[in-house]
Amino acid sequence: MQFRYFTTVIAVLLLAVKGLSAQHIPRMYFTDTSSGKPIAKDPKVIHFKDAYWMYYSIPGKAGAGWHIGIARSTNLTDWQKAGELNGTEAYEKNGLCAPGALVRNDTVHLFYQTYGNGPKDAICHAYSTDGIHFQKDASNPIFHPSGDWNNGRAIDAEVAFYKGQYFLYFATRDPKGEVQMQGVATAPGGTDFSREHWTQASDASILKPELPWEGKCIEAASVIEKEGKLYMFYAGSYNNVPQQIGLAESTDGIHWTRTASVPFLANGAAGEWNHSESGHPDIFKTKDGKYYLFFQGNNTGDGQSWYLSNLELNWRQGLPVIAAQGNAAQSFKIEKGKDVWLLTYFRQRYPTRIEIDAQGKTIEVPLPNPMLLEKMHMALSNDGRHWTPLNDNKPVWDQHVRDPYVRRGPDGLWRILSTGGGGKDRQKVGPSCLYLTSPDLIHWKVEGTLPLMKDVRSDSGAILARNIWAPEWFYDKKARTYILIWSSSYEDAGWKNSRLWYCTTRDWKTFSPAKVFFEPPYSVIDGTLLEHQGKYYLFHKEEEFGAKTGERRAIRVAVASNVYGPYKIIEGDLNKGQIVPVITEGPTAIKDPHQKGWLLLYDYCMTDRFGASYSPDLYHWTVEQDVAFPDAARHGCVSVIKPDEAKALIEAFGIAAPSPSQP
């Protein structure tokens, strides 16, 4: 639960005026803000030493020069920056960018262009044994074209091994410097990639713009072999014209034929994140045989922001096609006698992301397609991984509900705690949360607001707490007591120096004074409890980020033998102690419906989607790849319901393609 990503309602309206509509943001949505703007371009992905690595172009501060960013991932969706490659040689004095890469003999070979030298820009080579630290080739630059068909420029390197030799694909321009087109050079299979090994393989362009949508530019070739044939994904037209992605094929690596007269991947519709272009492709094959097309996009058209994403591809009749994406609504079937899982959530897309620069200043990075539906939504699932929304993913109740925590009490009554509410009494009692009840998940009653921090005051009697975020409740069976848990901060923003607090009640009318529940050595929000075999597991979000700490906005877990602690923080295997990728929040943990173990569901709040991880023991977690959640779902809570309850919800609110098997 993070209000910090909001600026004001005015900001939302301003973005809407610019044409941003409520469109789905892709599963992968990566950028780099090191330049002061969200810009990452020209992706190239490899698999190296049990991880995925992505090399990409980023500008310098205030747009001065370019260099290469390096990011690492374990799932091709969530990326963490791992380093940079900067200009160190005279030929790189104006910058370097547009990387290509391949792995050979446990070494990463990187091919890149110099920048800012016009017709003198050329292709260079560097190599690394760890994927981060590179040795520049002593013969750099290793290639630029010759002949009167081009102006001597070479950019956008792509190197592929095919039929016993290496092919270097590059973009160049005609002698007037107006039309961008593709060229090719080759080197023998045993090459060290130095300058003396490359031979220009054609004294003419192998692919130049001819179709209307290609304008005056074909660049950024990315090539892959399948069943003896090469396929080239290329960018047609210059940036934001719009640039779009085309496809060509070849049986010799030199002579190419387009597979269609229309783009393979077009730019997005008005308001979508890639409205101004879908460009600079990279085709990548995983070790398990899946294909992904990485590409860059933006929707401003002014070069002020660029994001990277990918789409999974399938193959039909010898050609690639874009696969159905995982956010598609799933059909749902009620199975007689089997429990159903209910996800309650609200929907939101933030207009900005908060970052902290090296000087400790807070900056806001714009995000596309803002949207806010702080009302309760519901979805059903049989496996905890694939969810079908009720009511066409629209609210099931016209009532403000943010971060809805929904659980059935020992008395059979459903209770919700929700962020917000009770604003008119804030000066007297401080922030409040909302308390609601229901006998059947269909008919709800607002019981009132709970000013849980009203007694936490300064010596002068002033209210200290600025917020009550993401409240939840846990029933202590031994003590027959409800424990309410939430996060609060005294700072000017709710995410600063936040701690988890708690109070208790037996009747939901009188509540014990608030006390600190969990105070780790970092700011913490979004706590949720799970009890298993006499131990209590506290999943929570570490809320730290910036130059001092790095990006630390992700889920951690702590464990105790007493519900009130003390809790010992478990060191996860991600990002120095976390258990799921950044940037994530809003955890909820359940027993895995189909195998021994547990599922942890969480909210990728900056890419407007949900994720899930599996654990056999509540300590070691791996990200689940095959998941489908409602579009733009935020901060969910999962409950187990009976088949007749699921049927009643479907009858009350409707569902996509229901197929109940019981009367």
Side-chain angles (χ1 to χ4, degrees):
M1 199 326 280
Q2 298 166 301
F3 283 117
R4 69 177 182 280
Y5 296 116
F6 270 95
T7 48
T8 63
V9 175
I10 294 176
V12 176
L13 294 175
L14 288 174
L15 289 169
V17 168
K18 292 182 179 180
L20 300 182
S21 59
Q23 301 291 337
H24 176 67
I25 291 179
R27 289 175 56 83
M28 177 188 167
Y29 194 59
F30 173 86
T31 194
D32 189 312
T33 59
S34 60
S35 67
K37 298 179 180 179
I39 298 178
K41 300 180 68 176
D42 313 332
K44 181 62 186 181
V45 177
I46 61 172
H47 187 271
F48 179 63
K49 293 188 175 180
D50 298 322
Y52 300 107
W53 297 80
M54 181 168 64
Y55 301 90
Y56 57 94
S57 302
I58 46 177
K61 296 287 185 181
W66 284 78
H67 48 293
I68 293 172
I70 305 170
R72 185 178 182 276
S73 174
T74 58
N75 61 8
L76 291 178
T77 300
D78 307 294
W79 297 86
Q80 296 184 25
K81 190 170 182 180
E84 292 184 0
L85 179 65
N86 296 290
T88 57
E89 310 300 324
Y91 54 83
E92 303 166 334
K93 65 179 181 179
N94 293 328
L96 63 160
C97 59
L102 59 83
V103 178
R104 189 179 72 176
N105 299 329
D106 295 324
T107 299
V108 177
H109 291 272
L110 193 70
F111 305 90
Y112 59 94
Q113 68 168 81
T114 59
Y115 175 80
N117 306 297
K120 295 183 179 181
D121 278 325
I123 304 302
C124 299
H125 168 240
Y127 53 92
S128 170
T129 57
D130 65 2
I132 300 176
H133 303 92
F134 282 85
Q135 177 70 40
K136 307 285 180 65
D137 194 316
S139 67
N140 276 341
I142 61 169
F143 181 79
H144 64 85
S146 61
D148 59 7
W149 61 279
N150 69 83
N151 70 348
R153 188 186 198 211
I155 64 170
D156 293 352
E158 167 77 339
V159 177
F161 186 74
Y162 181 59
K163 293 185 176 180
Q165 60 182 334
Y166 288 94
F167 287 75
L168 167 60
Y169 296 96
F170 59 92
T172 188
R173 293 197 180 187
D174 68 351
K176 294 182 179 180
E178 296 177 352
V179 179
Q180 197 123 289
M181 51 193 171
Q182 285 295 304
V184 64
T186 59
T191 181
D192 63 358
F193 304 115
S194 61
R195 183 192 305 173
E196 64 182 15
H197 287 186
W198 292 103
T199 302
Q200 190 167 300
S202 175
D203 289 327
S205 170
I206 61 171
L207 197 68
K208 58 184 178 181
E210 297 174 354
L211 301 174
W213 69 269
E214 294 170 344
K216 292 185 176 182
C217 173
I218 284 182
E219 63 183 14
S222 181
V223 175
I224 197 166
E225 179 184 2
K226 191 175 191 302
E227 298 178 354
K229 184 182 289 188
L230 287 180
Y231 295 85
M232 176 192 289
F233 295 84
Y234 64 89
S237 203
Y238 288 111
N239 287 148
N240 296 321
V241 173
Q243 189 169 96
Q244 301 175 96
I245 295 173
L247 178 65
E249 58 186 3
S250 173
T251 56
D252 64 5
I254 298 175
H255 301 90
W256 291 86
T257 303
R258 292 171 177 82
T259 62
S261 60
V262 296
F264 176 84
L265 178 64
N267 62 307
E272 292 189 336
W273 74 277
N274 58 338
H275 170 59
S276 294
E277 81 163 64
S278 297
H280 209 109
D282 175 47
I283 181 65
F284 174 70
K285 181 183 179 182
T286 67
K287 286 194 171 183
D288 59 359
K290 293 183 178 180
Y291 293 82
Y292 290 87
L293 182 64
F294 289 78
F295 61 102
Q296 67 186 31
N298 77 85
N299 65 358
T300 61
D302 57 6
Q304 300 301 302
S305 65
W306 296 87
Y307 290 80
L308 303 180
S309 188
N310 69 36
L311 292 169
E312 185 174 357
L313 304 184
N314 292 330
W315 292 79
R316 296 177 189 165
Q317 299 178 343
L319 289 175
V321 294
I322 298 173
Q325 300 306 298
N327 66 316
Q330 306 289 315
S331 61
F332 177 77
K333 181 179 180 180
I334 297 176
E335 299 182 42
K336 187 175 182 179
K338 291 188 177 180
D339 288 336
V340 175
W341 278 257
L342 169 70
L343 176 69
T344 50
Y345 56 98
F346 75 104
R347 298 182 67 213
Q348 178 182 4
R349 286 190 284 265
Y350 287 129
T352 63
R353 180 178 66 248
I354 299 298
E355 298 291 350
I356 300 175
D357 64 18
Q359 288 73 42
K361 296 181 180 179
T362 298
I363 59 175
E364 293 192 45
V365 179
L367 296 174
N369 310 327
M371 179 268 286
L372 177 62
L373 286 175
E374 290 182 306
K375 297 179 180 180
M376 190 161 64
H377 296 65
M378 292 182 174
L380 301 178
S381 175
N382 297 120
D383 63 4
R385 295 165 173 84
H386 302 89
W387 296 85
T388 302
L390 294 170
N391 200 31
D392 196 28
N393 206 24
K394 293 181 290 190
V396 298
W397 186 24
D398 189 21
Q399 164 66 42
H400 176 277
V401 177
R402 184 183 175 97
D403 309 325
Y405 185 80
V406 182
R407 280 289 189 271
R408 189 185 345 235
D411 56 359
L413 188 66
W414 292 93
R415 290 180 170 86
I416 286 183
L417 287 179
S418 168
T419 298
K424 65 180 181 180
D425 295 325
R426 187 182 182 94
Q427 295 300 320
K428 295 180 179 179
V429 298
S432 298
C433 64
L434 200 61
Y435 171 45
L436 317 101
T437 62
S438 173
D440 55 9
L441 294 170
I442 298 171
H443 305 93
W444 293 91
K445 178 183 179 183
V446 178
E447 299 286 355
T449 56
L450 305 179
L452 301 177
M453 295 291 283
K454 64 182 177 62
D455 296 321
V456 181
R457 299 173 180 263
S458 67
D459 291 340
S460 63
I463 294 290
L464 292 174
R466 301 295 298 269
N467 61 315
I468 291 177
W469 275 2
E472 301 195 1
W473 63 267
F474 177 85
Y475 187 68
D476 184 354
K477 296 178 182 178
K478 296 179 181 178
R480 297 182 180 180
T481 300
Y482 296 92
I483 304 172
L484 283 64
I485 301 171
W486 66 92
S487 67
S488 286
S489 171
Y490 301 161
E491 301 287 340
D492 60 348
W495 47 272
K496 293 182 178 180
N497 297 321
S498 182
R499 296 294 177 260
L500 296 185
W501 293 74
Y502 83 100
C503 69
T504 62
T505 184
R506 290 192 174 186
D507 57 9
W508 291 89
K509 295 178 181 179
T510 58
F511 300 86
S512 67
K515 296 181 180 179
V516 172
F517 186 76
F518 182 56
E519 189 173 11
Y522 45 79
S523 188
V524 57
I525 65 171
D526 294 356
T528 187
L529 276 175
L530 183 147
E531 181 184 4
H532 178 58
Q533 294 183 345
K535 291 186 177 180
Y536 298 87
Y537 296 83
L538 177 61
F539 297 92
H540 58 278
K541 181 187 183 184
E542 178 181 359
E543 189 66 302
E544 299 284 357
F545 58 103
K548 292 183 179 180
T549 63
E551 181 56 81
R552 309 288 305 151
R553 289 174 282 192
I555 310 303
R556 302 190 69 158
V557 64
V559 64
S561 56
N562 185 295
V563 68
Y564 298 104
Y567 282 87
K568 178 183 178 181
I569 300 170
I570 303 301
E571 293 300 318
D573 58 357
L574 295 179
N575 201 21
K576 298 181 180 179
Q578 297 170 341
I579 59 175
V580 304
V582 298
I583 300 171
T584 49
E585 62 186 31
T588 183
I590 61 172
K591 285 187 177 180
D592 192 315
H594 284 300
Q595 60 181 320
K596 184 178 180 181
W598 306 84
L599 285 181
L600 182 67
L601 279 59
Y602 41 87
D603 173 1
Y604 287 90
C605 50
M606 289 295 95
T607 48
D608 304 311
R609 61 188 178 87
F610 249 74
S613 290
Y614 167 78
S615 174
D617 57 9
L618 291 169
Y619 291 92
H620 305 90
W621 297 87
T622 56
V623 175
E624 291 285 294
Q625 301 297 325
D626 183 15
V627 297
F629 289 87
D631 176 51
R634 295 293 319 282
H635 202 117
C637 173
V638 177
S639 304
V640 180
I641 61 176
K642 298 300 180 183
D644 59 339
E645 293 176 308
K647 183 181 179 183
L649 289 174
I650 292 173
E651 291 175 348
F653 303 117
I655 197 169
S659 53
S661 61
Q662 68 178 59

